[in-house]
Amino acid sequence: MDSPLKEQFAFAFIDCQGFADFDTAKVLLTIAERICQAVNVPEPDRNAFQKDTFYAFDQFLDGVEAALQNRKLALMFDEYEYIEYKVKDGSLSPQIFNKLRSLMQHRDRKLAFIFVGTHRLTELTEDYWSFLFNIALYHEIGLLSIEAARQLVVEPVAG
């Protein structure tokens, strides 16, 4: 039986820790490939991503939005703080933050963002992450109770 969430959303899991030796084009191409796993759309054009990364990503998302029909795409970024690490080491363009903000503002009918990590957003460089403070909902999730953890293991999808 499908859950009501699967009727409303497609979920793309993005492990930012895997971006170790990636540049901006490869990061956005990897995100696009994860989206392809979640939504039935053609693979992105690798050459287009190398030529004009941000434009190619936007063009790819246009096709994704059409394929979603009445659903939304939830982009789930695990270990999101690695994005900042990559910007600080110079291998990822700081414009990635502007792109994420733009997507949140202008594609919000079809895209949702979930950032999960071990650091609080307020512990990271405010210059990079201020886009989240202004337009996103922020929920800190603490430890589960023993009963809640047991339920999660025994009945992972119930409710």
Side-chain angles (χ1 to χ4, degrees):
M1 171 167 71
D2 279 336
S3 82
L5 279 179
K6 284 193 176 183
E7 293 171 13
Q8 297 173 12
F9 289 91
F11 295 94
F13 177 76
I14 300 146
D15 179 12
C16 297
Q17 197 170 12
F19 295 161
D21 61 344
F22 291 7
D23 61 10
T24 304
K26 201 161 187 180
V27 165
L28 289 178
L29 183 61
T30 300
I31 292 169
E33 290 169 346
R34 298 303 172 266
I35 292 170
C36 287
Q37 293 170 356
V39 180
N40 187 21
V41 292
E43 289 284 323
D45 179 353
R46 292 176 174 273
N47 292 329
F49 272 74
Q50 288 299 325
K51 279 189 195 170
D52 193 347
T53 304
F54 291 115
Y55 180 76
F57 190 65
D58 277 334
Q59 294 300 299
F60 170 76
L61 288 177
D62 288 344
V64 169
E65 285 186 354
L68 285 168
Q69 296 174 346
N70 62 343
R71 295 187 307 161
K72 270 183 118 165
L73 173 64
L75 299 173
M76 302 182 302
F77 291 87
D78 188 32
E79 304 289 347
Y80 68 86
E81 56 270 19
Y82 279 87
I83 296 171
E84 180 178 344
Y85 302 157
K86 296 295 294 169
V87 168
K88 283 184 174 180
D89 78 12
S91 57
L92 186 60
S93 169
Q95 294 304 313
I96 192 79
F97 294 104
N98 291 331
K99 173 51 68 180
L100 290 173
R101 180 182 175 91
S102 175
L103 294 175
M104 287 177 185
Q105 288 180 310
H106 302 292
R107 294 188 183 257
D108 62 323
R109 289 186 340 226
K110 287 291 185 175
L111 294 180
F113 293 80
I114 300 169
F115 292 92
V116 178
T118 57
H119 298 292
R120 293 179 183 194
L121 283 173
T122 54
E123 293 172 355
L124 298 173
T125 307
E126 189 173 321
D127 292 342
Y128 294 133
W129 293 101
S130 65
F131 75 96
L132 284 177
F133 299 134
N134 296 336
I135 62 173
L137 299 175
Y138 175 73
H139 296 282
E140 183 175 339
I141 300 173
L143 299 175
L144 295 174
S145 68
I146 292 174
E147 178 57 26
R150 186 193 70 71
Q151 285 179 332
L152 185 62
V153 171
V154 174
E155 302 175 51
V157 293

